[in-house]
Amino acid sequence: MKLLRYGPSSAEKPGILDEHGNIRDLSDAVSDISGETLTPEGLTKLAAIDPTSLPVVQGSPRIGACVGAVGKMISIGLNYADHAAETGSDVPPEPVIFFKATSSICGPNDDVRIPRGSKKTDWEVELGVVIGKEARYVDQANAMEHIAGYCVINDISERAFQLEMSGQWVKGKSADTFGPTGPWLVTKDEVTDPQNLTMWLEVDGHRFQNGSTRTMVYGVAHLVHYVSQFMSLQPGDIISTGTPPGVGMGQQPQIYLREGQIMELEIEGLGRQKQHTIAWNA
C-alpha cells in the first residue's frame, strides 16, 4: 500500500493511492496515518479495504508528511562511506545517532524556509524507515518485523549551525521545514529490498546526488536493532538512515542553497519530492 496524508497543514486527512494514482479518502476507516494505524494489526485492517470502494479525492490537494504525530525523528549520520569521505570524516565504528525536531517535519512539496542568519543550508536525500511495532532491545534478525514501511526524506541541514557552533548537530537539523517527508509511506511488503534502492537529488535541474542504498555502511535491519538498544521505538517513529555523496558541503567549491531555488529528489518506488526555497521572512 501507498499511504499518504492530504489537505491543509495541521488538518491533513488520511488517504491511500489506488493503482491508477488516484488519492482515495480513508477518513471513514482511520483518523490518521499514525500510531496504531501503522501497527501490523492496523495495516492488516487497511489492506482488507478495496481502494475502489473509497471516495476519490478531487483536484490536486496539498500532500502532507506521510506520517502524522511522529513521536521521534531519529537520524543517522555519516552512514555512507563515500559521503563520510566527501565531508572529511572517518567512517564511524558504530552508527552516529542524532535527533531532528519533529517540528521540522513538513510535506514533501512544501516550501523550504532558509533560516535567519543561514549561509550554509544544504540538502540530503535519505531513506526513511517508519516503525510499526514497538522495538526494544530487538535482535537484528528480527528487526524487520518492527517496520511498517519506507518513505523519502530530505534531511535539510544548516552546516554552520551544525558544525561550526558549540553543542550538538540538532541545531543545524531542526529548523522549521527542514524535514520534508513523503509523499507516501510505502508499506514494507512493496519494497523487496530496502538495501537496493536508487536515489537522487537535483537543485535547479543539476543532479548533485546519484546514489543507492546499497552503499549504506549500516543497513536498515542493523539500524533498527542498534537504536532499540538505547531507546524504545514506537509506531510512527521514523529513522532517517543517512545520505549518499553529493551534498553541497562536499562540492569543490562548496555550494549552498539560496532563496528562489528548486530541489527535486526521488527514491526508487517511494515517490518524488519538489521544494522551492524561500527566505524565512518571505
Side-chain angles (χ1 to χ4, degrees):
M1 294 180 288
K2 292 182 174 67
L3 304 174
L4 67 146
R5 300 168 69 248
Y6 69 94
S9 179
S10 301
E12 292 92 347
K13 295 181 178 181
I16 187 170
L17 207 67
D18 70 20
E19 62 179 348
H20 302 294
N22 299 309
I23 299 174
R24 301 276 183 160
D25 181 46
L26 274 173
S27 297
D28 287 342
V30 294
S31 60
D32 202 357
I33 306 300
S34 63
E36 291 300 312
T37 300
L38 299 173
T39 64
E41 297 78 14
L43 293 178
T44 297
K45 175 184 173 182
L46 290 185
I49 299 173
D50 178 3
T52 63
S53 69
L54 302 171
V56 174
V57 176
Q58 301 297 325
S60 300
R62 169 188 174 270
I63 304 300
C66 59
V67 181
V70 176
K72 296 190 288 294
M73 174 73 89
I74 303 154
S75 297
I76 308 298
L78 304 172
N79 196 31
Y80 288 69
D82 34 12
H83 170 58
E86 74 173 347
T87 64
S89 303
D90 294 330
V91 174
E94 55 189 273
V96 173
I97 299 174
F98 62 93
F99 285 100
K100 200 172 177 79
T102 55
S103 55
S104 71
I105 297 172
C106 64
N109 305 314
D110 289 349
D111 291 340
V112 167
R113 293 180 176 269
I114 297 176
R116 291 178 183 173
S118 170
K119 302 294 184 183
K120 297 183 177 181
T121 296
D122 205 347
W123 56 83
E124 297 187 12
V125 58
E126 304 202 3
L127 173 68
V129 177
V130 181
I131 299 300
K133 178 182 176 183
E134 185 178 63
R136 184 182 289 110
Y137 297 117
V138 301
D139 296 331
Q140 184 168 331
N142 300 319
M144 303 301 278
E145 299 174 7
H146 297 265
I147 295 172
Y150 305 94
C151 62
V152 182
I153 294 173
N154 191 354
D155 176 23
I156 300 169
S157 312
E158 211 301 336
R159 301 300 188 187
F161 298 175
Q162 176 190 358
L163 301 171
E164 298 172 19
M165 302 175 73
S166 63
Q168 301 180 351
W169 285 6
V170 65
K171 290 190 295 189
K173 296 285 188 172
S174 294
D176 292 355
T177 74
F178 267 28
T181 302
W184 316 309
L185 186 164
V186 180
T187 52
K188 64 182 178 183
D189 58 295
E190 290 199 13
V191 180
T192 303
D193 183 3
Q195 302 304 155
N196 190 26
L197 302 174
T198 58
M199 55 205 307
W200 57 264
L201 182 145
E202 297 178 351
V203 180
D204 291 341
H206 178 83
R207 185 159 297 193
F208 284 98
Q209 293 189 275
N210 200 16
S212 169
T213 57
R214 289 192 306 272
T215 64
M216 278 187 189
V217 178
Y218 302 103
V220 168
H222 182 80
L223 293 175
V224 174
H225 150 73
Y226 182 83
V227 174
S228 78
Q229 307 307 302
F230 305 98
M231 67 195 80
S232 64
L233 296 170
Q234 309 298 328
D237 287 349
I238 300 175
I239 301 175
S240 194
T241 58
T243 197
V247 299
M249 181 172 61
Q251 305 303 308
Q252 299 295 331
Q254 293 178 341
I255 299 172
Y256 293 108
L257 293 166
R258 61 185 186 277
E259 180 184 0
Q261 294 190 290
I262 297 174
M263 287 180 283
E264 294 188 75
L265 54 150
E266 183 174 17
I267 298 179
E268 179 183 357
L270 303 184
R272 181 180 294 198
Q273 300 185 355
K274 182 177 182 179
Q275 299 110 24
H276 292 77
T277 58
I278 62 174
W280 175 256
N281 58 358

